[in-house]
């Protein structure tokens, strides 16, 4: 069992940056692949990025490639999402998620979810 708590969301102007954190508690965090997903009002949850348990492999949605960076610190049981050059269309609730096995961009394959953190980008 893994419990996930996101933090770092907030209001930022377009072009600005935010760093989200996802702190995990429970056993064997370093064996879990992690992902970040987001959901805007009236829209389906979409994949943002994912990272393998080792941190060696990362994956990004085309919409955030070159602007967002996922990383993890297994010693701190934390995964991060650095978001640069933010756009109004990045406004959403951002969720982190964990799964046993390989990293994937499919939200349906994640077993554990945080409660989400709101990111609002003003134009």
């Amino acid at each position: 069992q893994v419990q996930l708590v996101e933090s770092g969301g907030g209001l930022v102007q377009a072009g600005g940056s935010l760093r989200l954190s996802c702190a995990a508690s429970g056993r064997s965090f370093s064996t879990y692949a992690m992902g970040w997903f987001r959901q805007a009002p009236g829209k389906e949850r979409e994949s943002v990025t994912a990272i393998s348990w080792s941190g060696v492999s990362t994956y990004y949605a085309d919409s955030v490639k070159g602007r967002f960076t996922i990383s993890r610190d297994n010693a701190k049981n934390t995964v991060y999402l650095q978001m640069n050059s933010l756009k109004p269309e990045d406004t959403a609730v951002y969720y982190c998620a964990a799964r046993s096995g390989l990293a994937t961009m499919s939200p349906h394959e994640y077993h554990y979810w945080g409660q989400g953190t709101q990111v609002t980008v003003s134009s």
Side-chain angles (χ1 to χ4, degrees):
Q1 190 79 8
V2 176
Q3 292 80 44
L4 304 172
V5 179
E6 301 96 336
S7 61
L11 174 64
V12 64
Q13 288 189 332
S17 298
L18 281 174
R19 188 174 84 152
L20 306 183
S21 299
C22 174
S25 60
R27 299 171 61 181
S28 305
F29 170 78
S30 61
T31 67
Y32 286 89
M34 301 295 296
W36 284 97
F37 303 85
R38 66 187 182 187
Q39 188 166 18
K43 296 187 177 181
E44 293 187 356
R45 188 168 298 188
E46 65 171 340
S47 306
V48 177
T49 179
I51 188 167
S52 62
W53 65 268
S54 65
V56 170
S57 299
T58 57
Y59 309 88
Y60 295 92
D62 288 344
S63 59
V64 307
K65 205 170 291 183
R67 300 188 298 123
F68 291 11
T69 303
I70 189 171
S71 61
R72 66 189 296 162
D73 185 338
N74 286 343
K76 295 183 178 179
N77 283 11
T78 303
V79 63
Y80 304 98
L81 180 62
Q82 178 66 44
M83 305 186 294
N84 299 327
S85 301
L86 282 160
K87 304 175 180 180
E89 51 264 43
D90 294 319
T91 295
V93 177
Y94 283 71
Y95 300 89
C96 71
R99 72 179 302 268
S100 301
L102 299 177
T104 172
M105 292 287 278
S106 172
H108 306 292
E109 301 201 34
Y110 283 79
H111 314 302
Y112 306 105
W113 291 82
Q115 82 290 347
T117 186
Q118 176 71 46
V119 171
T120 303
V121 184
S122 63
S123 57

